[in-house]
Amino acid sequence: MAIVNRAEGRAYLTPLVAFLLLFLGFPSLVNLIYSVSSVSFESLRSPSLSGLGNYAAVLADREFWQAVSFSMRFGILTALAECLIGLFLAIFLAPLIARRSFLMAPLMLPLMVAPAMIGLMYRLVLHEFAGPVPYYLFSWFGDSPAFLDINNAFRTLVVVETLQWTPFAFLLFYMAYVAIPMDVREAASLDGAPWYKVLWWIELPLMLPTLVIAFFIRFIDGFRVFDNVYALTGSGAGGSTTSLSIYIYQAFFKEGAIGKAVAASVILFVASLGVLYGLNWLAGRRRT
């Protein structure tokens, strides 16, 4: 029976394994070859191996480390802002949404818009010469900041990203908050615990797995951001808003340095894999 079950298991897994090998394994192998080769658009079919020179060029490139710094800061700040605001809204609006569930729909509207469209929209709204926001600020207060210049672009991008993706964190936290058993809250209220102690000692610990998952999902998404930044500011003045994804895009399409771009993407993949492995290890220690 065990042999039959094993054979059935292999039969069920074969299509999935074949799919992964075909659509993930083969491109990954090709990328690994390109990352250690001298290759251009003319020699895509016949790259010449050149060792680890592409990796050395990437690691020695000051613009690469600027992109890493931007992506790290952007990912951490946006994830923190989205999770804090989303948690506050989930707790504050839970009683209202419980009575009027239709209010959930407008709260989710920012998620329905493509990030590139959000970037283009805010680029028009915040444009220094044509945008309505600078126009009215100048009309009312006599001055307006340049939202997209080198001094303010990073803060503007963080705000735009936070406005679009806070509903995602809010949705996760709201579902976790309403899933807390009512008898737990009732037992705490019978013991005379004030609301803030119930929140700190009961509700937040029960929501902690969701909080951690939401933070790292949003961090990973912010770390690899491309659409919003590219549409709103591009690489920015002096590369001030160049994320890792934009760095790889520019190396590939604008410089034609395919080997260098692929090497940077491999480094990004290995770093992401290390973070995920670390999270899995921490989750395993927490379970034990």
Side-chain angles (χ1 to χ4, degrees), residues 10-91:
R10 291 195 189 98
Y12 286 128
L13 287 174
T14 298
L16 175 62
V17 173
F19 173 83
L20 292 175
L21 288 176
L22 180 62
F23 291 98
L24 294 178
F26 177 71
S28 299
L29 179 62
V30 172
N31 282 334
L32 284 175
I33 295 173
Y34 283 162
S35 70
V36 292
S37 303
S38 296
V39 59
S40 63
F41 287 107
E42 292 79 12
S43 60
L44 280 175
R45 297 181 181 177
S46 56
S48 58
L49 295 178
S50 60
L52 301 177
N54 291 323
Y55 290 95
V58 169
L59 295 175
D61 189 355
R62 184 173 60 88
E63 294 181 359
F64 171 77
W65 294 109
Q66 286 180 344
V68 170
S69 174
F70 173 87
S71 295
M72 284 292 295
R73 290 183 293 121
F74 187 82
I76 291 173
L77 286 177
T78 53
L80 278 175
E82 291 161 17
C83 288
L84 289 175
I85 299 172
L87 180 62
F88 170 78
L89 291 176
I91 296 172

Side-chain angles (χ1 to χ4, degrees), residues 125-203:
V125 169
L126 300 176
H127 194 279
E128 187 174 357
F129 300 109
V133 172
Y135 171 79
Y136 285 112
L137 287 177
F138 189 83
S139 300
W140 295 339
F141 304 106
D143 194 14
S144 172
F147 292 99
L148 304 179
D149 72 353
I150 190 172
N151 297 316
N152 299 313
F154 181 78
R155 289 189 287 270
T156 301
L157 290 170
V158 169
V159 171
V160 170
E161 183 81 358
T162 301
L163 289 175
Q164 180 172 19
W165 292 106
T166 293
F168 173 80
F170 160 74
L171 181 61
L172 291 182
F173 298 154
Y174 174 76
M175 299 305 296
Y177 185 75
V178 299
I180 297 174
M182 285 302 299
D183 55 355
V184 176
R185 294 189 176 101
E186 291 171 358
S189 63
L190 289 174
D191 289 337
W195 67 269
Y196 56 88
K197 286 190 176 181
V198 174
L199 174 64
W200 184 257
W201 294 108
I202 296 176
E203 294 174 341

